[in-house]
């Protein structure tokens, strides 16, 4: 049986970005001809047929002359030219669905932290001033989400599931979706300026493109009034300097960011200076069960690929 190389870039020395031994062993139990090769190691790039990872780009696709299938360990593929893949008849699948619950829960944790004043509670705790009298200073900051308006920008799996939960919390839901598959009050991206002045929460889940780069800038923030802004989309869709100004002048009541213009976020960033800005280090999709679920997805797709049933690959993008 021909040896089949799976070229991968899970080599960042982080648990979410390192293939565990059990994953490799389980794959080899069913596919004895499979061998995993770290992309940091020297290898004849002309022989790469399957790529598994997150950091492939157009340049690497051109280098891998025999590439047939890319399986992304993430969901987004901003750095990949889809038309380039089509021209080369390269398949691409992603890990849509594996990160959905984690990201939805992360967004909810941001929203409830804002509504219940958890950022101010932690501030008082750190100052050892945690009592009702001191928290009374933040009385006006504590609200319920019910009857508030939320705009969800990007309506994939995450946006769809989030909307269903927020609907049960009696929020009024607006969505921005290119595919018009939303069951809520749906709009196009060109409507975002008008919507920004009408909502209490804006959740950014948009991918990075020419249309969305720096979308959230001073012009758009200036149309907001006491809005809570959450970004789990792409860092470069938000102008961080303009976001800080919007916090300072009151257009934004609060902000929560899991992604940034430059990562990792510099410790000198002014984002750290505001108590009403919550920051997490690009971990919204993190889940300790990720590799178990990835094993089921990848093994199933690998079986279909070897059986030449490419049309049946799960999460197929191309």
């Amino acid at each position: 049986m021909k040896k089949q190389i799976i070229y991968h870039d899970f080599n960042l020395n982080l648990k979410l970005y390192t293939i565990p031994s059990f994953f490799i062993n389980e794959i080899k139990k069913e596919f004895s001809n499979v061998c995993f090769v770290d992309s940091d190691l020297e290898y004849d790039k002309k022989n790469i047929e399957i790529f598994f990872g997150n950091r492939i780009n157009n340049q690497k696709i051109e280098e891998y002359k025999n590439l047939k299938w890319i399986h992304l360990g993430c969901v987004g593929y901003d750095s990949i030219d889809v038309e380039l893949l089509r021209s080369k008849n390269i398949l691409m699948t992603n890990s849509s669905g594996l990160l959905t619950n984690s990201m939805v829960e992360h967004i909810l944790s941001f929203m409830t932290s804002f509504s219940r004043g958890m950022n101010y509670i932690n501030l008082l705790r750190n100052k050892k001033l945690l009592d009702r009298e001191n928290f009374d200073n933040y009385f006006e900051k504590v609200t319920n989400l019910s009857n508030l308006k939320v705009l969800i920008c990007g309506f994939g799996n995450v946006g769809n599931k989030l909307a269903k939960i927020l609907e049960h919390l009696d929020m009024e839901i607006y969505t921005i979706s290119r595919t018009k598959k939303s069951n809520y009050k749906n709009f196009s991206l060109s409507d975002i300026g008008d919507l920004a002045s009408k909502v209490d929460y804006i959740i950014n889940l948009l991918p990075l493109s020419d249309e969305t780069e720096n979308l959230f800038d001073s012009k758009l923030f200036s149309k907001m009034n006491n809005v809570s802004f959450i970004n789990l989309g792409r860092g470069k869709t938000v102008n961080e300097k303009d976001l800080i100004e919007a916090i300072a002048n009151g257009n934004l009541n609060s902000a929560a960011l899991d992604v940034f213009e430059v990562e990792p976020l510099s410790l000198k960033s002014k984002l750290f200076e505001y108590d009403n800005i919550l920051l997490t280090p690009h971990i919204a999709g993190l889940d300790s069960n990720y590799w178990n679920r990835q094993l089921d997805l990848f093994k199933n797709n690998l079986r279909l690929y070897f059986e030449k049933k490419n049309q049946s690959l799960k999460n197929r993008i191309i």
Side-chain angles (χ1 to χ4, degrees):
M1 187 179 294
K2 178 186 174 183
K3 185 177 181 181
Q4 179 64 66
I5 298 297
I6 297 176
Y7 206 54
H8 72 89
D9 63 10
F10 287 101
N11 48 29
L12 295 183
N13 198 29
L14 295 169
K15 291 176 183 177
L16 187 63
Y17 302 103
T18 301
I19 300 180
S21 57
F22 85 83
F23 184 98
I24 294 174
N25 292 337
E26 287 297 317
I27 294 292
K28 287 185 175 181
K29 279 182 184 179
E30 185 166 345
F31 311 101
S32 58
N33 62 319
V34 163
C35 179
F36 287 80
V37 174
D38 188 327
S39 61
D40 281 351
L41 301 177
E42 288 295 326
Y43 189 76
D44 186 355
K45 295 177 180 178
K46 293 180 181 178
N47 291 328
I48 297 169
E49 183 176 332
I50 299 174
F51 182 90
F52 178 29
N54 298 315
R55 289 172 284 145
I56 193 167
N57 53 37
N58 296 330
Q59 179 181 341
K60 291 177 181 178
I61 290 168
E62 293 284 8
E63 292 174 0
Y64 305 161
K65 302 297 184 182
N66 195 42
L67 187 63
K68 298 291 190 299
W69 173 33
I70 298 168
H71 178 64
L72 299 173
C74 56
V75 177
Y77 45 94
D78 307 328
S79 60
I80 300 173
D81 183 350
V82 172
E83 293 306 317
L84 174 64
L85 297 185
R86 287 198 176 100
S87 70
K88 294 178 175 292
N89 294 315
I90 297 172
L91 299 164
M92 183 165 68
T93 54
N94 70 3
S95 295
S96 176
L98 269 63
L99 311 177
T100 300
N101 282 359
S102 299
M103 294 185 68
V104 168
E105 291 174 25
H106 207 81
I107 295 167
L108 291 172
S109 72
F110 281 149
M111 295 182 74
T112 53
S113 290
F114 289 147
S115 67
R116 305 310 303 161
M118 292 302 297
N119 49 323
Y120 300 111
I121 290 172
N122 284 327
L123 176 67
L124 293 175
R125 175 187 172 178
N126 293 337
K127 293 180 177 181
K128 296 184 178 180
L129 296 173
L130 188 61
D131 55 39
R132 285 185 174 182
E133 286 74 20
N134 283 304
F135 189 69
D136 196 60
N137 293 320
Y138 303 105
F139 180 84
E140 288 77 12
K141 301 291 186 182
V142 180
T143 62
N144 289 327
L145 295 175
S146 59
N147 300 316
L148 297 184
K149 299 177 180 178
V150 57
L151 172 62
I152 301 174
C153 305
F155 202 69
N157 289 343
V158 175
N160 190 7
K161 189 159 193 174
L162 176 66
K164 291 176 181 177
I165 295 172
L166 298 182
E167 186 176 20
H168 284 293
L169 293 175
D170 299 320
M171 295 193 78
E172 187 175 342
I173 299 166
Y174 300 79
T175 62
I176 287 178
S177 171
R178 290 178 298 178
T179 59
K180 302 294 183 183
K181 61 186 177 183
S182 168
N183 294 323
Y184 304 95
K185 298 174 183 177
N186 192 61
F187 300 86
S188 65
L189 193 59
S190 60
D191 298 313
I192 193 169
D194 293 332
L195 294 169
S197 63
K198 300 175 182 178
V199 298
D200 303 289
Y201 278 82
I202 294 178
I203 316 297
N204 178 32
L205 299 169
L206 294 169
L208 183 64
S209 66
D210 291 341
E211 192 177 16
T212 63
E213 185 170 6
N214 275 318
L215 173 67
F216 294 93
D217 60 4
S218 58
K219 182 179 178 180
L220 184 53
F221 285 131
S222 68
K223 298 179 180 180
M224 301 178 191
N225 181 27
N226 211 27
V227 168
S228 291
F229 175 77
I230 296 172
N231 186 21
L232 266 70
R234 289 291 184 262
K236 291 184 179 180
T237 61
V238 179
N239 184 308
E240 290 171 9
K241 178 177 176 292
D242 291 352
L243 180 144
I244 291 170
E245 290 179 1
I247 284 282
N249 64 30
N251 291 118
L252 291 181
N253 175 54
S254 52
L257 309 175
D258 184 59
V259 290
F260 308 97
E261 287 180 309
V262 177
E263 295 185 12
L265 181 65
S266 169
L267 295 178
K268 296 181 181 179
S269 171
K270 290 186 177 181
L271 292 170
F272 286 104
E273 298 176 9
Y274 293 83
D275 297 329
N276 53 345
I277 298 180
L278 299 179
L279 306 171
T280 54
H282 204 155
I283 57 166
L286 193 148
D287 177 1
S288 60
N289 288 318
Y290 169 84
W291 282 107
N292 291 295
R293 293 203 298 275
Q294 182 64 257
L295 175 62
D296 292 338
L297 172 62
F298 186 68
K299 185 163 63 172
N300 178 68
N301 274 355
L302 192 61
R303 185 185 306 113
L304 292 169
Y305 178 80
F306 286 152
E307 293 173 355
K308 301 188 184 304
K309 297 179 180 178
N310 295 337
Q311 295 298 325
S312 300
L313 291 176
K314 188 173 183 180
N315 292 349
R316 180 174 171 177
I317 298 166
I318 299 175

